[in-house]
């Protein structure tokens, strides 16, 4: 698909943006992190052949996000927290599929 080709062309830059957004909470509604998780999911779906080599960085960022969301007891409402956990988990599942089970390992 042409979207896949465009994503691959800009993958390195896109990856830096995604990792940057995943690291920082943007307030109780977490709109930026929810949006960037959606972007990551779309990126994995369209550029899956290029994902295994990016697995270590993405895995580290997603696991850190899951840990932070799970342990922080800030002003973030429970539905927002649940949405973050769900979207991050969806990304992990997709990464596991395109890396033939390396996420589980």
């Amino acid at each position: 698909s042409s979207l896949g080709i465009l994503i691959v062309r800009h993958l390195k830059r896109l990856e830096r943006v995604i990792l940057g957004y995943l690291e920082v909470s943007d307030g109780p509604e977490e709109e930026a992190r929810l949006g960037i998780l959606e972007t990551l999911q779309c990126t994995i779906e369209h550029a899956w052949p290029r994902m295994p080599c990016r697995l270590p960085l993405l895995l580290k960022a997603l696991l850190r996000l899951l840990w932070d969301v799970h342990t922080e007891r800030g002003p973030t409402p429970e539905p927002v927290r649940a949405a973050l956990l769900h979207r991050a988990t969806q990304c992990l599942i997709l990464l596991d599929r395109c890396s033939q089970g390396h996420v589980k390992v």
Side-chain angles (χ1 to χ4, degrees):
S1 81
S2 61
L3 181 59
I5 293 166
L6 285 171
I7 287 174
V8 168
R9 187 180 304 152
H10 299 287
L11 201 50
K12 203 161 205 58
R13 193 175 310 139
L14 182 59
E15 179 184 65
R16 279 197 303 269
V17 171
I18 289 170
L19 292 173
Y21 273 97
L22 288 179
E23 283 177 14
V24 183
S25 173
D26 62 303
E29 298 309 311
E30 293 286 10
E31 288 158 1
R33 283 210 288 196
L34 285 168
I36 211 69
L37 283 167
E38 199 174 322
T39 301
L40 176 57
Q41 188 172 342
C42 192
T43 302
I44 297 167
E45 287 168 355
H46 288 281
W48 62 268
R50 301 291 176 104
M51 288 298 126
C53 65
R54 294 180 154 72
L55 195 59
L57 277 176
L58 292 172
L59 194 53
K60 186 176 168 187
L62 286 166
L63 291 174
R64 181 175 287 139
L65 171 75
L66 286 170
W67 176 256
D68 288 348
V69 171
H70 189 71
T71 56
E72 282 172 5
R73 287 290 163 240
T76 304
E78 199 50 48
V80 175
R81 194 184 308 279
L84 282 169
L85 294 173
H86 175 73
R87 286 197 185 159
T89 303
Q90 291 304 113
C91 289
L92 287 171
I93 290 167
L94 285 172
L95 283 171
D96 191 58
R97 282 192 199 138
C98 68
S99 68
Q100 285 83 43
H102 279 87
V103 170
K104 286 189 190 91
V105 175

